[in-house]
mmCIF file of all heavy atoms in Angstrom:
data_model
loop_
_atom_site.group_PDB
_atom_site.id
_atom_site.type_symbol
_atom_site.label_atom_id
_atom_site.label_comp_id
_atom_site.label_asym_id
_atom_site.label_seq_id
_atom_site.Cartn_x
_atom_site.Cartn_y
_atom_site.Cartn_z
ATOM 1 N N GLN A 243 47.520 -21.653 -31.408
ATOM 2 C CA GLN A 243 46.371 -21.595 -32.257
ATOM 3 C C GLN A 243 46.817 -21.451 -33.710
ATOM 4 O O GLN A 243 47.910 -20.975 -33.984
ATOM 5 C CB GLN A 243 45.454 -20.437 -31.876
ATOM 6 C CG GLN A 243 46.077 -19.079 -32.070
ATOM 7 C CD GLN A 243 45.123 -17.951 -31.720
ATOM 8 O OE1 GLN A 243 44.077 -18.168 -31.109
ATOM 9 N NE2 GLN A 243 45.496 -16.743 -32.100
ATOM 10 N N LYS A 244 45.947 -21.843 -34.588
ATOM 11 C CA LYS A 244 46.207 -21.691 -36.012
ATOM 12 C C LYS A 244 46.075 -20.223 -36.399
ATOM 13 O O LYS A 244 45.115 -19.558 -36.014
ATOM 14 C CB LYS A 244 45.252 -22.548 -36.823
ATOM 15 C CG LYS A 244 45.417 -24.046 -36.571
ATOM 16 C CD LYS A 244 44.412 -24.849 -37.353
ATOM 17 C CE LYS A 244 44.663 -26.339 -37.185
ATOM 18 N NZ LYS A 244 44.475 -26.763 -35.769
ATOM 19 N N GLN A 245 47.039 -19.746 -37.167
ATOM 20 C CA GLN A 245 47.058 -18.337 -37.511
ATOM 21 C C GLN A 245 47.618 -18.153 -38.914
ATOM 22 O O GLN A 245 48.589 -18.812 -39.299
ATOM 23 C CB GLN A 245 47.896 -17.555 -36.507
ATOM 24 C CG GLN A 245 47.844 -16.059 -36.679
ATOM 25 C CD GLN A 245 48.578 -15.316 -35.581
ATOM 26 O OE1 GLN A 245 49.432 -15.874 -34.893
ATOM 27 N NE2 GLN A 245 48.244 -14.044 -35.405
ATOM 28 N N LEU A 246 47.004 -17.241 -39.650
ATOM 29 C CA LEU A 246 47.469 -16.846 -40.967
ATOM 30 C C LEU A 246 47.651 -15.334 -40.958
ATOM 31 O O LEU A 246 46.750 -14.607 -40.547
ATOM 32 C CB LEU A 246 46.467 -17.235 -42.053
ATOM 33 C CG LEU A 246 46.049 -18.706 -42.119
ATOM 34 C CD1 LEU A 246 44.928 -18.889 -43.140
ATOM 35 C CD2 LEU A 246 47.237 -19.583 -42.479
ATOM 36 N N VAL A 247 48.802 -14.860 -41.420
ATOM 37 C CA VAL A 247 49.109 -13.443 -41.415
ATOM 38 C C VAL A 247 49.519 -13.015 -42.807
ATOM 39 O O VAL A 247 50.547 -13.465 -43.322
ATOM 40 C CB VAL A 247 50.214 -13.101 -40.406
ATOM 41 C CG1 VAL A 247 50.504 -11.604 -40.434
ATOM 42 C CG2 VAL A 247 49.810 -13.529 -39.003
ATOM 43 N N GLU A 248 48.722 -12.135 -43.399
ATOM 44 C CA GLU A 248 49.009 -11.620 -44.732
ATOM 45 C C GLU A 248 49.900 -10.391 -44.652
ATOM 46 O O GLU A 248 49.854 -9.634 -43.675
ATOM 47 C CB GLU A 248 47.718 -11.244 -45.467
ATOM 48 C CG GLU A 248 46.722 -12.377 -45.630
ATOM 49 C CD GLU A 248 45.661 -12.383 -44.543
ATOM 50 O OE1 GLU A 248 45.922 -11.841 -43.441
ATOM 51 O OE2 GLU A 248 44.567 -12.923 -44.791
ATOM 52 N N SER A 249 50.675 -10.174 -45.696
ATOM 53 C CA SER A 249 51.490 -8.977 -45.808
ATOM 54 C C SER A 249 51.720 -8.674 -47.281
ATOM 55 O O SER A 249 51.471 -9.509 -48.149
ATOM 56 C CB SER A 249 52.826 -9.138 -45.079
ATOM 57 O OG SER A 249 53.594 -10.181 -45.644
ATOM 58 N N GLY A 250 52.198 -7.472 -47.558
ATOM 59 C CA GLY A 250 52.556 -7.096 -48.912
ATOM 60 C C GLY A 250 51.593 -6.174 -49.617
ATOM 61 O O GLY A 250 51.882 -5.726 -50.737
ATOM 62 N N GLY A 251 50.467 -5.875 -49.001
ATOM 63 C CA GLY A 251 49.528 -4.963 -49.617
ATOM 64 C C GLY A 251 50.034 -3.537 -49.590
ATOM 65 O O GLY A 251 51.030 -3.216 -48.942
ATOM 66 N N GLY A 252 49.340 -2.681 -50.314
ATOM 67 C CA GLY A 252 49.729 -1.289 -50.359
ATOM 68 C C GLY A 252 48.989 -0.535 -51.430
ATOM 69 O O GLY A 252 48.041 -1.035 -52.030
ATOM 70 N N LEU A 253 49.436 0.690 -51.658
ATOM 71 C CA LEU A 253 48.857 1.572 -52.658
ATOM 72 C C LEU A 253 49.765 1.604 -53.876
ATOM 73 O O LEU A 253 50.946 1.955 -53.763
ATOM 74 C CB LEU A 253 48.683 2.979 -52.084
ATOM 75 C CG LEU A 253 48.220 4.065 -53.048
ATOM 76 C CD1 LEU A 253 46.835 3.752 -53.593
ATOM 77 C CD2 LEU A 253 48.233 5.418 -52.350
ATOM 78 N N VAL A 254 49.219 1.243 -55.027
ATOM 79 C CA VAL A 254 49.979 1.232 -56.269
ATOM 80 C C VAL A 254 49.152 1.861 -57.376
ATOM 81 O O VAL A 254 47.956 2.099 -57.222
ATOM 82 C CB VAL A 254 50.401 -0.190 -56.681
ATOM 83 C CG1 VAL A 254 51.313 -0.803 -55.627
ATOM 84 C CG2 VAL A 254 49.179 -1.068 -56.909
ATOM 85 N N GLN A 255 49.803 2.111 -58.494
ATOM 86 C CA GLN A 255 49.125 2.645 -59.663
ATOM 87 C C GLN A 255 48.749 1.526 -60.626
ATOM 88 O O GLN A 255 49.340 0.453 -60.617
ATOM 89 C CB GLN A 255 50.009 3.661 -60.374
ATOM 90 C CG GLN A 255 50.297 4.910 -59.567
ATOM 91 C CD GLN A 255 51.093 5.935 -60.352
ATOM 92 O OE1 GLN A 255 51.510 5.692 -61.485
ATOM 93 N NE2 GLN A 255 51.304 7.087 -59.757
ATOM 94 N N ALA A 256 47.758 1.804 -61.445
ATOM 95 C CA ALA A 256 47.354 0.839 -62.460
ATOM 96 C C ALA A 256 48.550 0.430 -63.309
ATOM 97 O O ALA A 256 49.367 1.262 -63.713
ATOM 98 C CB ALA A 256 46.259 1.425 -63.333
ATOM 99 N N GLY A 257 48.645 -0.861 -63.566
ATOM 100 C CA GLY A 257 49.751 -1.412 -64.317
ATOM 101 C C GLY A 257 50.890 -1.918 -63.467
ATOM 102 O O GLY A 257 51.758 -2.640 -63.975
ATOM 103 N N ASP A 258 50.905 -1.568 -62.196
ATOM 104 C CA ASP A 258 51.967 -2.003 -61.292
ATOM 105 C C ASP A 258 51.754 -3.440 -60.833
ATOM 106 O O ASP A 258 50.729 -4.064 -61.120
ATOM 107 C CB ASP A 258 52.036 -1.079 -60.075
ATOM 108 C CG ASP A 258 52.648 0.264 -60.382
ATOM 109 O OD1 ASP A 258 53.186 0.442 -61.491
ATOM 110 O OD2 ASP A 258 52.583 1.153 -59.507
ATOM 111 N N SER A 259 52.725 -3.936 -60.088
ATOM 112 C CA SER A 259 52.685 -5.288 -59.556
ATOM 113 C C SER A 259 52.866 -5.274 -58.051
ATOM 114 O O SER A 259 53.496 -4.372 -57.491
ATOM 115 C CB SER A 259 53.786 -6.151 -60.180
ATOM 116 O OG SER A 259 53.617 -6.294 -61.576
ATOM 117 N N LEU A 260 52.315 -6.287 -57.404
ATOM 118 C CA LEU A 260 52.509 -6.530 -55.984
ATOM 119 C C LEU A 260 52.628 -8.023 -55.760
ATOM 120 O O LEU A 260 52.059 -8.813 -56.518
ATOM 121 C CB LEU A 260 51.340 -6.009 -55.151
ATOM 122 C CG LEU A 260 51.246 -4.524 -54.822
ATOM 123 C CD1 LEU A 260 49.921 -4.256 -54.108
ATOM 124 C CD2 LEU A 260 52.412 -4.085 -53.954
ATOM 125 N N ARG A 261 53.345 -8.396 -54.716
ATOM 126 C CA ARG A 261 53.365 -9.778 -54.281
ATOM 127 C C ARG A 261 52.900 -9.849 -52.836
ATOM 128 O O ARG A 261 53.535 -9.283 -51.938
ATOM 129 C CB ARG A 261 54.754 -10.414 -54.412
ATOM 130 C CG ARG A 261 54.710 -11.930 -54.172
ATOM 131 C CD ARG A 261 56.048 -12.606 -54.321
ATOM 132 N NE ARG A 261 56.901 -12.414 -53.156
ATOM 133 C CZ ARG A 261 57.919 -13.210 -52.833
ATOM 134 N NH1 ARG A 261 58.199 -14.262 -53.600
ATOM 135 N NH2 ARG A 261 58.657 -12.941 -51.776
ATOM 136 N N LEU A 262 51.807 -10.542 -52.628
ATOM 137 C CA LEU A 262 51.289 -10.772 -51.293
ATOM 138 C C LEU A 262 51.869 -12.058 -50.721
ATOM 139 O O LEU A 262 52.111 -13.017 -51.452
ATOM 140 C CB LEU A 262 49.769 -10.866 -51.305
ATOM 141 C CG LEU A 262 49.004 -9.703 -51.943
ATOM 142 C CD1 LEU A 262 47.503 -9.939 -51.802
ATOM 143 C CD2 LEU A 262 49.415 -8.379 -51.330
ATOM 144 N N SER A 263 52.067 -12.066 -49.418
ATOM 145 C CA SER A 263 52.545 -13.248 -48.717
ATOM 146 C C SER A 263 51.601 -13.571 -47.574
ATOM 147 O O SER A 263 50.989 -12.679 -46.986
ATOM 148 C CB SER A 263 53.954 -13.029 -48.156
ATOM 149 O OG SER A 263 54.883 -12.755 -49.181
ATOM 150 N N CYS A 264 51.498 -14.837 -47.267
ATOM 151 C CA CYS A 264 50.693 -15.294 -46.140
ATOM 152 C C CYS A 264 51.502 -16.337 -45.386
ATOM 153 O O CYS A 264 51.789 -17.412 -45.926
ATOM 154 C CB CYS A 264 49.369 -15.872 -46.626
ATOM 155 S SG CYS A 264 48.362 -16.624 -45.335
ATOM 156 N N LEU A 265 51.865 -16.017 -44.160
ATOM 157 C CA LEU A 265 52.639 -16.909 -43.317
ATOM 158 C C LEU A 265 51.709 -17.643 -42.366
ATOM 159 O O LEU A 265 50.934 -17.010 -41.639
ATOM 160 C CB LEU A 265 53.680 -16.125 -42.526
ATOM 161 C CG LEU A 265 54.534 -16.922 -41.535
ATOM 162 C CD1 LEU A 265 55.378 -17.953 -42.254
ATOM 163 C CD2 LEU A 265 55.399 -15.987 -40.706
ATOM 164 N N ALA A 266 51.790 -18.960 -42.365
ATOM 165 C CA ALA A 266 50.943 -19.789 -41.522
ATOM 166 C C ALA A 266 51.711 -20.272 -40.300
ATOM 167 O O ALA A 266 52.912 -20.531 -40.358
ATOM 168 C CB ALA A 266 50.420 -20.986 -42.306
ATOM 169 N N SER A 267 51.001 -20.414 -39.199
ATOM 170 C CA SER A 267 51.573 -20.976 -37.984
ATOM 171 C C SER A 267 50.502 -21.778 -37.258
ATOM 172 O O SER A 267 49.307 -21.556 -37.444
ATOM 173 C CB SER A 267 52.137 -19.885 -37.072
ATOM 174 O OG SER A 267 51.122 -18.985 -36.665
ATOM 175 N N GLY A 268 50.939 -22.710 -36.442
ATOM 176 C CA GLY A 268 50.007 -23.509 -35.672
ATOM 177 C C GLY A 268 49.337 -24.626 -36.440
ATOM 178 O O GLY A 268 48.394 -25.243 -35.922
ATOM 179 N N LEU A 269 49.795 -24.882 -37.643
ATOM 180 C CA LEU A 269 49.251 -25.970 -38.439
ATOM 181 C C LEU A 269 50.363 -26.616 -39.255
ATOM 182 O O LEU A 269 51.416 -26.009 -39.469
ATOM 183 C CB LEU A 269 48.101 -25.484 -39.336
ATOM 184 C CG LEU A 269 48.328 -24.247 -40.216
ATOM 185 C CD1 LEU A 269 49.140 -24.587 -41.455
ATOM 186 C CD2 LEU A 269 46.999 -23.631 -40.616
ATOM 187 N N THR A 270 50.105 -27.837 -39.694
ATOM 188 C CA THR A 270 51.047 -28.512 -40.580
ATOM 189 C C THR A 270 50.751 -28.032 -41.991
ATOM 190 O O THR A 270 49.863 -28.548 -42.675
ATOM 191 C CB THR A 270 50.917 -30.028 -40.454
ATOM 192 O OG1 THR A 270 51.115 -30.414 -39.091
ATOM 193 C CG2 THR A 270 51.961 -30.729 -41.316
ATOM 194 N N PHE A 271 51.504 -27.051 -42.424
ATOM 195 C CA PHE A 271 51.165 -26.284 -43.616
ATOM 196 C C PHE A 271 50.993 -27.158 -44.850
ATOM 197 O O PHE A 271 50.088 -26.934 -45.658
ATOM 198 C CB PHE A 271 52.246 -25.226 -43.847
ATOM 199 C CG PHE A 271 51.980 -24.312 -45.001
ATOM 200 C CD1 PHE A 271 50.977 -23.361 -44.935
ATOM 201 C CD2 PHE A 271 52.741 -24.399 -46.151
ATOM 202 C CE1 PHE A 271 50.732 -22.511 -45.998
ATOM 203 C CE2 PHE A 271 52.513 -23.547 -47.221
ATOM 204 C CZ PHE A 271 51.505 -22.603 -47.143
ATOM 205 N N SER A 272 51.850 -28.156 -45.004
ATOM 206 C CA SER A 272 51.834 -28.967 -46.214
ATOM 207 C C SER A 272 50.605 -29.859 -46.334
ATOM 208 O O SER A 272 50.398 -30.469 -47.383
ATOM 209 C CB SER A 272 53.097 -29.831 -46.295
ATOM 210 O OG SER A 272 53.165 -30.730 -45.207
ATOM 211 N N THR A 273 49.786 -29.957 -45.297
ATOM 212 C CA THR A 273 48.564 -30.746 -45.349
ATOM 213 C C THR A 273 47.330 -29.901 -45.649
ATOM 214 O O THR A 273 46.213 -30.416 -45.596
ATOM 215 C CB THR A 273 48.344 -31.517 -44.037
ATOM 216 O OG1 THR A 273 48.110 -30.604 -42.960
ATOM 217 C CG2 THR A 273 49.553 -32.388 -43.717
ATOM 218 N N TYR A 274 47.522 -28.639 -45.969
ATOM 219 C CA TYR A 274 46.414 -27.733 -46.230
ATOM 220 C C TYR A 274 46.450 -27.206 -47.656
ATOM 221 O O TYR A 274 47.495 -26.768 -48.146
ATOM 222 C CB TYR A 274 46.456 -26.541 -45.270
ATOM 223 C CG TYR A 274 46.021 -26.876 -43.870
ATOM 224 C CD1 TYR A 274 46.866 -27.562 -43.011
ATOM 225 C CD2 TYR A 274 44.758 -26.511 -43.418
ATOM 226 C CE1 TYR A 274 46.461 -27.885 -41.727
ATOM 227 C CE2 TYR A 274 44.355 -26.825 -42.133
ATOM 228 C CZ TYR A 274 45.205 -27.508 -41.295
ATOM 229 O OH TYR A 274 44.792 -27.818 -40.018
ATOM 230 N N ALA A 275 45.296 -27.254 -48.305
ATOM 231 C CA ALA A 275 45.114 -26.441 -49.491
ATOM 232 C C ALA A 275 44.999 -24.982 -49.062
ATOM 233 O O ALA A 275 44.494 -24.684 -47.980
ATOM 234 C CB ALA A 275 43.869 -26.873 -50.261
ATOM 235 N N MET A 276 45.473 -24.083 -49.900
ATOM 236 C CA MET A 276 45.489 -22.669 -49.556
ATOM 237 C C MET A 276 44.797 -21.862 -50.638
ATOM 238 O O MET A 276 44.834 -22.216 -51.815
ATOM 239 C CB MET A 276 46.922 -22.164 -49.389
ATOM 240 C CG MET A 276 47.724 -22.865 -48.309
ATOM 241 S SD MET A 276 47.063 -22.572 -46.643
ATOM 242 C CE MET A 276 47.227 -20.784 -46.522
ATOM 243 N N GLY A 277 44.209 -20.763 -50.228
ATOM 244 C CA GLY A 277 43.531 -19.905 -51.183
ATOM 245 C C GLY A 277 43.710 -18.437 -50.864
ATOM 246 O O GLY A 277 44.002 -18.056 -49.726
ATOM 247 N N TRP A 278 43.562 -17.622 -51.897
ATOM 248 C CA TRP A 278 43.493 -16.178 -51.767
ATOM 249 C C TRP A 278 42.097 -15.726 -52.166
ATOM 250 O O TRP A 278 41.552 -16.174 -53.178
ATOM 251 C CB TRP A 278 44.528 -15.476 -52.647
ATOM 252 C CG TRP A 278 45.920 -15.548 -52.118
ATOM 253 C CD1 TRP A 278 46.901 -16.406 -52.479
ATOM 254 C CD2 TRP A 278 46.486 -14.692 -51.116
ATOM 255 N NE1 TRP A 278 48.049 -16.156 -51.775
ATOM 256 C CE2 TRP A 278 47.821 -15.109 -50.929
ATOM 257 C CE3 TRP A 278 46.003 -13.628 -50.358
ATOM 258 C CZ2 TRP A 278 48.678 -14.494 -50.018
ATOM 259 C CZ3 TRP A 278 46.845 -13.009 -49.449
ATOM 260 C CH2 TRP A 278 48.170 -13.444 -49.293
ATOM 261 N N PHE A 279 41.547 -14.817 -51.388
ATOM 262 C CA PHE A 279 40.213 -14.286 -51.594
ATOM 263 C C PHE A 279 40.269 -12.774 -51.436
ATOM 264 O O PHE A 279 41.214 -12.246 -50.855
ATOM 265 C CB PHE A 279 39.232 -14.901 -50.588
ATOM 266 C CG PHE A 279 39.236 -16.401 -50.603
ATOM 267 C CD1 PHE A 279 40.204 -17.113 -49.915
ATOM 268 C CD2 PHE A 279 38.285 -17.098 -51.319
ATOM 269 C CE1 PHE A 279 40.226 -18.494 -49.933
ATOM 270 C CE2 PHE A 279 38.293 -18.486 -51.348
ATOM 271 C CZ PHE A 279 39.262 -19.185 -50.660
ATOM 272 N N ARG A 280 39.274 -12.096 -51.951
ATOM 273 C CA ARG A 280 39.264 -10.643 -51.806
ATOM 274 C C ARG A 280 37.841 -10.140 -51.632
ATOM 275 O O ARG A 280 36.876 -10.770 -52.061
ATOM 276 C CB ARG A 280 39.926 -9.960 -53.006
ATOM 277 C CG ARG A 280 39.174 -10.103 -54.319
ATOM 278 C CD ARG A 280 39.986 -9.498 -55.459
ATOM 279 N NE ARG A 280 39.291 -9.576 -56.734
ATOM 280 C CZ ARG A 280 39.827 -9.240 -57.899
ATOM 281 N NH1 ARG A 280 41.081 -8.790 -57.952
ATOM 282 N NH2 ARG A 280 39.123 -9.339 -59.015
ATOM 283 N N GLN A 281 37.757 -8.988 -50.987
ATOM 284 C CA GLN A 281 36.467 -8.355 -50.770
ATOM 285 C C GLN A 281 36.610 -6.850 -50.963
ATOM 286 O O GLN A 281 37.360 -6.199 -50.238
ATOM 287 C CB GLN A 281 35.922 -8.659 -49.379
ATOM 288 C CG GLN A 281 34.510 -8.160 -49.166
ATOM 289 C CD GLN A 281 33.866 -8.747 -47.928
ATOM 290 O OE1 GLN A 281 34.550 -9.289 -47.062
ATOM 291 N NE2 GLN A 281 32.560 -8.661 -47.845
ATOM 292 N N ALA A 282 35.893 -6.336 -51.935
ATOM 293 C CA ALA A 282 35.851 -4.913 -52.196
ATOM 294 C C ALA A 282 34.689 -4.292 -51.431
ATOM 295 O O ALA A 282 33.745 -4.993 -51.053
ATOM 296 C CB ALA A 282 35.707 -4.651 -53.693
ATOM 297 N N PRO A 283 34.723 -2.979 -51.196
ATOM 298 C CA PRO A 283 33.613 -2.333 -50.490
ATOM 299 C C PRO A 283 32.279 -2.607 -51.158
ATOM 300 O O PRO A 283 32.150 -2.526 -52.378
ATOM 301 C CB PRO A 283 33.975 -0.849 -50.560
ATOM 302 C CG PRO A 283 35.463 -0.828 -50.666
ATOM 303 C CD PRO A 283 35.806 -2.024 -51.512
ATOM 304 N N ALA A 284 31.304 -2.956 -50.346
ATOM 305 C CA ALA A 284 29.935 -3.197 -50.801
ATOM 306 C C ALA A 284 29.804 -4.400 -51.727
ATOM 307 O O ALA A 284 28.794 -4.542 -52.411
ATOM 308 C CB ALA A 284 29.357 -1.956 -51.466
#
């Protein structure tokens, strides 16, 4: 099956940096446009 798995999140302080990664499987990755989205509480 097609699967996307995110990693790299965590708790940081204002001004810090993070790098998120998303590993895809079950699909021909180079034929897909990719996006990052977010949802905050409420």
Side-chain angles (χ1 to χ4, degrees):
Q243 64 178 13
K244 297 178 175 64
Q245 187 174 20
L246 305 173
V247 180
E248 302 96 336
S249 62
L253 174 63
V254 298
Q255 295 184 356
D258 286 351
S259 297
L260 280 174
R261 190 179 78 158
L262 306 183
S263 299
C264 174
L265 177 63
S267 61
L269 51 78
T270 303
F271 183 71
S272 62
T273 66
Y274 285 76
M276 300 295 299
W278 285 98
F279 306 82
R280 67 185 182 187
Q281 187 166 16

